[in-house]
Amino acid sequence: MFMRIDHVGIACHDLEEKIALFEQTFELTVVAREVNEEQGVKEAMLHIADGNGGGSYIQLLEPLGPDTPVGKFLAKRGEGVHHVAFGVPDVAEAMREIGGKGVRLLDEKPRHGTMGSSIAFLHPKDVGGMLTELVQAPKH
Ligand code: MC0
């Protein structure tokens, strides 16, 4: 079902500061930046490697406000790993399969994700405490 780890999302207070830290420390390069109003984030993707069906990345996330998923996470837990995203061939099909096993889906249908992807989230409490994202890369 999973083809690769698409990205690890990291919540931070200051996107520009964390981009500089990751560029300098790990010699990573920012390949995309986006504001996603629906998800309440300003984000940057730093490329790690190319994998099965797409790339893998570190995603740095700054909330657009306190009353957003990442804003609430920062207030409660502070900066750190917010979610892990897995690449799947078909996000709607993966939602059906995983939802059929009793895992709560946080999205009724796939939403717009970074770099033209289609995404859906699974409830962290149903998968060992890890907020999990399913990602279908755009077809070229
Ligand atoms: C909350 N919990 C988490 C968590 N956020 N556990 C692990 N990782 C996280 N990130 C835990 C809380 O500690 C709590 O546990 C329980 O889940 C319910 O949390 P809550 O605080 O009562 O509820 P909310 O209102 O904060 O909602 C949490 C939930 C929400 C995960 C349902 O954040 C959500 O729907 N997230 C999906 C969308 C999202 O995160 N978007 C931002 C990234 P206790 O034990 O205290 O009950 S957008 C993105 O990444 C896009 C741009 C992309 O990749 O392309």
Side-chain angles (χ1 to χ4, degrees):
M1 183 185 295
F2 293 161
M3 301 191 294
R4 67 186 187 288
I5 291 181
D6 184 284
H7 66 266
V8 175
I10 298 176
C12 63
H13 291 291
D14 184 331
L15 185 64
E16 298 310 321
E17 182 193 292
K18 285 299 178 300
I19 287 173
L21 176 72
F22 275 69
E23 283 180 337
Q24 284 159 22
T25 308
F26 301 128
E27 299 178 1
L28 298 175
T29 304
V30 173
V31 292
R33 285 169 181 261
E34 204 169 322
V35 173
N36 187 325
E37 299 277 354
E38 188 184 38
Q39 295 289 346
V41 293
K42 183 162 88 167
E43 50 105 341
M45 297 295 270
L46 291 87
H47 182 252
I48 304 277
D50 290 315
N52 186 13
S56 65
Y57 307 87
I58 291 288
Q59 181 185 57
L60 299 175
L61 298 159
E62 181 188 312
L64 293 179
D67 197 20
T68 59
V70 176
K72 287 197 222 165
F73 177 92
L74 281 173
K76 203 167 175 180
R77 299 183 178 210
E79 293 187 317
V81 174
H82 177 260
H83 66 267
V84 176
F86 295 97
V88 294
D90 183 322
V91 70
E93 193 180 312
M95 289 169 78
R96 269 194 299 279
E97 274 185 45
I98 297 168
K101 295 176 186 174
V103 172
R104 277 170 288 170
L105 306 172
L106 295 171
D107 301 290
E108 283 178 19
K109 54 181 174 42
R111 293 179 191 271
H112 159 71
T114 185
M115 299 192 298
S117 61
S118 296
I119 63 169
F121 285 91
L122 309 177
H123 201 293
K125 290 289 171 190
D126 294 349
V127 283
M130 177 178 77
L131 177 59
T132 302
E133 180 182 339
L134 308 172
V135 180
Q136 179 184 335
K139 291 188 174 66
H140 293 295

